[in-house]
Amino acid sequence: MDLDHLLADSAPATTRRTDALRAELRALVLATEPAPAVRRLSSVRVGVAAAAASVFLGVGVVGAAASGLLPTPAWVPWATESGSACEMEFSVAPALVDGGQANGEPLSRSYSAAEQE
């Protein structure tokens, strides 16, 4: 007895591939695959209704605050004690880089649209 003969004898028995066997294997694979995810129409309706309600409430709160129906929240820091409103303005400009350090001087050149993006 040689090694090839021992290996051939120790191999598990295999079934001949017939059309019936192939059909059974296909049915087994299809039965074990998860069902495709179906999006329910009711969840879409709930999402649309929630988004519409959020927009409606947001616009209502902003409108009420702008018209003075809602008091100014305490965390808003830009009002004086007398109730006068203050105005803040910020500007941002690139600074000149000198040796890797910004020295705070604004650059005088213009930027392309790609650089501004």
Side-chain angles (χ1 to χ4, degrees), residues 72 76-90:
T72 305
V76 176
W78 48 83
T80 62
E81 290 181 9
S82 65
S84 301
C86 296
E87 188 175 309
M88 291 185 208
E89 186 175 317
F90 298 95

Side-chain angles (χ1 to χ4, degrees), residues 49-67:
S54 298
V55 168
F56 179 74
L57 288 175
V59 168
V61 168
V62 168
S67 65

Side-chain angles (χ1 to χ4, degrees), residues 8 19 21 25-26 37 39 89 96 113 116-117:
D19 289 335
L21 178 64
L25 289 174
R26 256 191 312 275
R39 200 165 187 191
E89 186 175 317
L96 182 63
Q116 289 177 12
E117 288 276 330

